[in-house]
Amino acid sequence: MNTNLSLTAPSQVETECLVAVVLDHGDKNKPAGILDCGDAPVREAAKEVIASGEATGKACETTLLHRPPGLKAKRLLLVGGGKATNFSSAELRKLAGIAVRTLKSKSIRSFAFALPESGANAAEGVRSVVEGAFVGDFDPDYYKSDRKDQKIDSMTIVARGDQASLEQALNVGRIVGESQTFTRDLVNEPSNRMTPTIMAERAKKMAAEVGLKCEVYGADKIKELKMGAFWGVAQGSDEPPALIVLRYEPAGAPEKPHLGLVGKGITFDTGGISIKPADGMEKMKYDMAGGATMIGVMRAIALLKPKVKVTAIVCATENMPSGKAQKPGDVQIAMSGKSIEIINTDAEGRLVLADGLCYARTLGCTHLIDAATLTGAVVVALGYANVGVFSNDDSFYQQFAATLAKSGENMWRLPVNDEYLDMTRSAIADLMNTGGRWGGASTAAAFLKEFAEDTPWIHLDIAGTAWMEDNKPWIAKGPSGIAVRSLVEFAREFGKA
């Protein structure tokens, strides 16, 4: 999608469709829609439909007007932003997605978005609109033989303010939006078209395009590094595993801090010998979403160029049942030297992350963040609304949490104290790879905490949020690209510290 900026009056923009925001300034019993646009001809064009009560400003409401008088646009789309008192950049991002999905369905390929005057400052608003538009433009129906390509060709944001700062915001939004789409592309692929080898090839190709260093290692290197936890998962599959390492090392950046991003890359998860129920197993192609997130984040970092060293590690493999697969009761020795009793082979994500976190520390990473579709327990705790966040360092967590308002991604901190670690103690080894039924998201995090050791660490359990279970007005059912925006924003701020 081509993204452009215009500083002219919205009414003077020649476009297939002009999008404007209506906010509800009424109370809960009586909505009162007011157009959030200062351009008099646009307000006049929308006056009648707002006065009639057809356009109330209710969240996600859309009203399309043809041949609006006084405007050079062929159409005017009014999008409801909800209560004016609650309007924010996060809501604006959704509205851009709603506009894109509404216009796509009508085969409209280009439009202009009149930036509202409420809520965020102009630069932040421009970025939010661009990011939201990319989110809305994605559809997962790659393999339909009758697929109709309805992607938006171009979008123009009509705004007022300093052109240089607005152009910069537009560029950041485009890079982040494209990188989130890149992540969603990876997650959307079926497992026969996204094996560990293919995932590594996609990462390597992307790295060459944006100037990242990329190293890909196979089984021999994994064994040489004594990554017994990672290899324990990989040994059951005929598909070779891939240890993917992406390095961003900008000139002039200090040696410390050095941010390490570790992603779970299980390209298909059957559960192994502790096999999953057949119902819904097809969704397990998304079990590499954490790894895909880190690859997408590195793409954006390479293009945005923060002054901080960042290394991403993705441990990619399948988790399959076979005569070679690890079994419940086996003991694996992780790279750190800790022994792990395998209680359930379906608790494999924490095994690959354990070695990934350890390897990141050996590469000099001083701060760690991992992302993984790790537990069903986090879905029980938080539903599909929030990422579960865990950390061993309050200061590091607060730095991360401060970026969430800008990213608009919902995350909620959960506990990871020692009582949860005690639930993973083994009678014959250092740890078990599951702590039982209760507090499963926290026991999994406590397990990972042992491999982060004293390094400041954050764990993102994205099991409930990496896949949209239903179509929303602003996003299609399927991969969400969750955490890309937050991690990119954090890396940019971390580089300023």
Side-chain angles (χ1 to χ4, degrees), residues 172-231:
V172 172
R174 178 184 54 78
I175 289 170
V176 174
E178 289 175 345
S179 298
Q180 186 172 355
T181 297
F182 180 81
T183 291
R184 295 167 78 189
D185 279 332
L186 296 178
V187 179
N188 193 53
E189 292 286 4
S191 64
N192 63 325
R193 296 175 182 269
M194 187 51 62
T195 63
T197 299
I198 296 172
M199 190 175 187
E201 289 171 350
R202 294 281 293 270
K204 186 176 288 188
K205 180 181 177 183
M206 178 276 293
E209 291 171 349
V210 300
L212 290 170
K213 295 179 182 178
C214 182
E215 302 151 23
V216 177
Y217 302 110
D220 290 344
K221 182 69 171 183
I222 293 167
K223 293 175 184 178
E224 178 189 325
L225 291 169
K226 298 184 178 179
M227 289 180 156
F230 182 8
W231 178 248

Side-chain angles (χ1 to χ4, degrees), residues 22-26 30-36 50-51 53 55-58 61:
V22 179
L23 297 179
D24 179 6
H25 288 260
K30 188 176 181 181
I34 296 179
L35 188 70
D36 197 348
I50 291 176
T56 65
K58 181 180 177 181
E61 176 187 77

Side-chain angles (χ1 to χ4, degrees), residues 108-162:
I108 296 172
R109 297 299 189 102
S110 63
F111 71 101
F113 195 108
L115 193 70
E117 298 174 4
S118 300
N121 64 54
E124 187 178 334
V126 166
R127 177 177 167 183
S128 295
V129 170
V130 175
E131 290 173 352
F134 275 96
V135 168
D137 202 30
F138 178 90
D139 278 304
D141 55 344
Y142 293 178
Y143 295 106
K144 288 188 175 182
S145 58
D146 61 348
R147 183 177 191 249
K148 297 177 181 177
D149 184 6
Q150 294 182 319
K151 286 189 178 297
I152 297 293
D153 293 329
S154 66
M155 171 183 66
T156 299
I157 301 178
V158 187
R160 293 188 297 176
D162 177 68

Side-chain angles (χ1 to χ4, degrees), residues 243-494:
L243 175 60
I244 305 166
V245 183
L246 292 163
R247 301 175 191 260
Y248 170 72
E249 299 171 337
E255 284 300 308
K256 297 180 180 180
H258 181 175
L259 182 60
L261 305 176
V262 182
K264 172 186 173 184
I266 304 297
T267 59
F268 194 79
D269 182 17
T270 67
I273 298 298
S274 308
I275 198 163
K276 294 177 180 289
D279 187 29
M281 196 194 289
E282 72 283 348
K283 182 182 167 184
M284 286 299 102
K285 69 176 188 176
Y286 100 126
D287 214 21
M288 40 65 77
T293 294
M294 297 316 190
I295 296 172
V297 169
M298 291 300 286
R299 179 190 183 277
I301 286 173
L303 295 171
L304 293 172
K305 301 183 178 1
K307 288 292 185 181
V308 62
K309 289 181 67 174
V310 187
T311 298
I313 296 165
V314 178
C315 299
T317 183
E318 293 180 335
N319 186 26
M320 299 291 284
S322 73
K324 301 180 296 180
Q326 68 180 352
K327 306 170 293 297
D330 286 358
V331 173
Q332 307 290 7
I333 309 299
M335 184 181 182
S336 69
K338 291 185 184 294
S339 56
I340 305 167
E341 181 185 8
I342 307 303
I343 301 300
N344 187 326
T345 64
D346 194 25
E348 86 298 332
R350 66 203 69 183
L351 297 176
V352 302
L353 288 176
D355 281 346
L357 290 167
C358 183
Y359 188 45
R361 290 192 295 108
T362 68
L363 295 179
C365 296
T366 61
H367 296 74
L368 300 171
I369 303 178
D370 74 70
T373 49
L374 203 66
T375 67
V378 82
V379 188
V380 174
L382 300 176
Y384 298 112
N386 278 270
V387 173
V389 186
F390 304 81
S391 181
N392 66 355
D393 187 289
D394 288 344
S395 176
F396 188 44
Y397 168 75
Q398 292 300 334
Q399 285 180 271
F400 178 75
T403 66
L404 297 180
K406 286 188 177 181
S407 73
E409 295 182 319
N410 295 325
M411 303 193 185
W412 194 262
R413 191 177 185 183
L414 294 170
V416 65
N417 41 297
D418 289 343
E419 287 84 351
Y420 295 107
L421 180 64
D422 290 340
M423 296 166 68
T424 71
R425 300 293 186 190
S426 168
I428 68 167
D430 295 324
L431 299 168
M432 300 183 294
N433 76 325
T434 175
R437 181 178 180 184
W438 308 115
S442 288
T443 56
F447 178 94
L448 293 177
K449 182 181 173 184
E450 285 295 281
F451 297 91
E453 297 189 2
D454 295 331
T455 306
W457 157 82
I458 290 170
H459 162 55
L460 306 179
D461 193 335
I462 60 174
T465 50
W467 192 268
M468 300 298 298
E469 297 295 326
D470 300 293
N471 285 311
K472 302 290 186 183
W474 60 89
I475 188 171
K477 177 180 178 180
S480 68
I482 191 71
V484 170
R485 293 200 305 266
S486 297
L487 289 170
V488 172
E489 188 62 31
F490 176 75
R492 296 181 75 215
E493 292 299 321
F494 201 56

Side-chain angles (χ1 to χ4, degrees), residues 19-24 32-36 50 54-64 77-84 87 91-96 98-99 102 113 116 473-474:
V19 178
V21 174
V22 179
L23 297 179
D24 179 6
I34 296 179
L35 188 70
D36 197 348
I50 291 176
E54 185 177 344
T56 65
K58 181 180 177 181
C60 304
E61 176 187 77
T62 57
T63 307
L64 184 62
L77 177 66
L78 304 178
V79 183
K83 292 294 182 183
F87 193 62
E91 296 305 313
L92 181 57
R93 192 178 285 108
K94 288 183 179 179
L95 297 191
I98 291 169
T102 299
F113 195 108
W474 60 89

